[in-house]
Amino acid sequence: MLPLPSATPITDNPLLFEVKQLADRFDAPFQQGPGWVHVVQETTSDPRGGQAYPPAYLKSERWYEVDEEGYVTRMVWLDYNSDEKIIQQSATVGDYSVNFTTGNSGFNNGSRYRFSLDTLTQSLSNAAQNDTRVLREASTCENGKPCLLITMQNNFASTVQNPGEEQAFAGSGQHVWIDLETGQQVKSQSFWLLENGNESITSTENIVLVEKMDTPPQKILDILSRVIIVP
């Protein structure tokens, strides 16, 4: 059996080390002591023909209950459309999750995890083995503060022509903006790389609110009370 590829050690990759330090700085206050972390994210996308979900605009609201060490014990996820109507809701208690919209339920992988909004470190860690090109540049956040812009890009072995598209795709990638003052990964964009070198943005995600509270609204507790763990 061939050995599994290993991730690049953080200490051997200056960019990975920098991003991890920034992410840890932002996550730290939310991992210290029990409470509830409330996150609101907005996503805009360009739905393909026949695509029902997600819609062109989606607001996701997440409530995480964390323990003394910042480990997530319960979680509620609500998706809203542009009319502020809930179009999907799910909840997790311990290792058991229920999607009240689709009716799916079941146990997860059994691994505990600490609250974190870091979605970039793992991708950077696997970049070399995935032949991902990584670029780092100074940028400005939408609030005018200095940002670090990380771009990850993968080129296809041959171009791909999707139905309904005028140009073939030569690759895909992602942009992630990190607020250098707080360490927060505030915005990300996914894109197709076109044959002419231009980008076609497929989705943009913005984190618009992160806060820690003692208790959530009653409606969140009511949703969690509906989770019946089935052996």
Side-chain angles (χ1 to χ4, degrees):
M1 180 182 293
L2 293 175
L4 295 174
S6 58
T8 304
I10 289 178
T11 53
D12 293 344
N13 185 326
L15 178 57
L16 181 58
F17 182 72
E18 179 184 18
V19 169
K20 184 66 166 64
Q21 279 196 315
L22 287 167
D24 288 348
R25 182 200 305 170
F26 178 77
D27 289 337
F30 302 101
Q31 297 175 344
Q32 297 170 359
W36 289 82
V37 184
H38 180 212
V39 179
V40 178
Q41 173 182 305
E42 292 182 334
T43 302
T44 56
S45 58
D46 181 18
R48 302 302 174 191
Q51 177 181 318
Y53 198 90
Y57 170 85
L58 185 72
K59 184 177 81 171
S60 298
E61 181 181 19
R62 307 193 293 272
W63 290 88
Y64 301 86
E65 182 186 42
V66 296
D67 63 14
E68 287 281 356
E69 298 177 331
Y71 285 93
V72 176
T73 57
R74 294 188 291 176
M75 193 264 282
V76 170
W77 187 311
L78 303 172
D79 284 341
Y80 302 82
N81 62 14
S82 57
D83 295 324
E84 288 292 320
K85 178 183 177 182
I86 294 178
I87 56 176
Q88 183 162 243
Q89 60 178 337
S90 61
T92 300
V93 175
D95 192 46
Y96 191 77
S97 296
V98 178
N99 187 313
F100 296 106
T101 304
T102 65
N104 295 331
S105 63
F107 290 93
N108 302 311
N109 59 17
S111 299
R112 299 175 68 212
Y113 66 96
R114 302 181 82 188
F115 170 81
S116 175
L117 287 185
D118 179 14
T119 62
L120 184 56
T121 296
Q122 188 62 48
S123 297
L124 289 176
S125 181
N126 296 329
Q129 66 196 47
N130 293 333
D131 293 324
T132 301
R133 182 188 181 198
V134 180
L135 300 175
R136 176 197 187 281
E137 59 184 297
S139 183
T140 303
C141 296
E142 293 183 352
N143 60 7
K145 294 181 180 179
C147 253
L148 177 63
L149 172 58
I150 305 297
T151 299
M152 295 173 291
Q153 180 180 309
N154 289 90
N155 293 329
F156 300 151
S158 59
T159 57
V160 176
Q161 183 69 55
N162 284 355
E165 298 291 342
E166 296 182 0
Q167 293 192 55
F169 300 143
S172 63
Q174 183 183 28
H175 300 299
V176 179
W177 285 262
I178 305 173
D179 187 321
L180 287 172
E181 182 178 305
T182 65
Q184 181 184 357
Q185 296 168 21
V186 293
K187 177 181 176 181
S188 66
Q189 279 185 335
S190 297
F191 63 87
W192 292 112
L193 183 67
L194 303 179
E195 280 188 297
N196 61 9
N198 293 333
E199 297 176 0
S200 174
I201 304 299
T202 57
S203 67
T204 301
E205 299 178 353
N206 287 282
I207 302 293
V208 297
L209 175 68
V210 187
E211 60 182 350
K212 191 169 184 180
M213 308 173 69
D214 292 334
T215 57
Q218 185 60 44
K219 72 172 185 178
I220 300 302
L221 297 175
D222 290 343
I223 292 172
L224 288 167
S225 70
R226 295 166 55 197
V227 178
I228 307 300
I229 300 177
V230 180

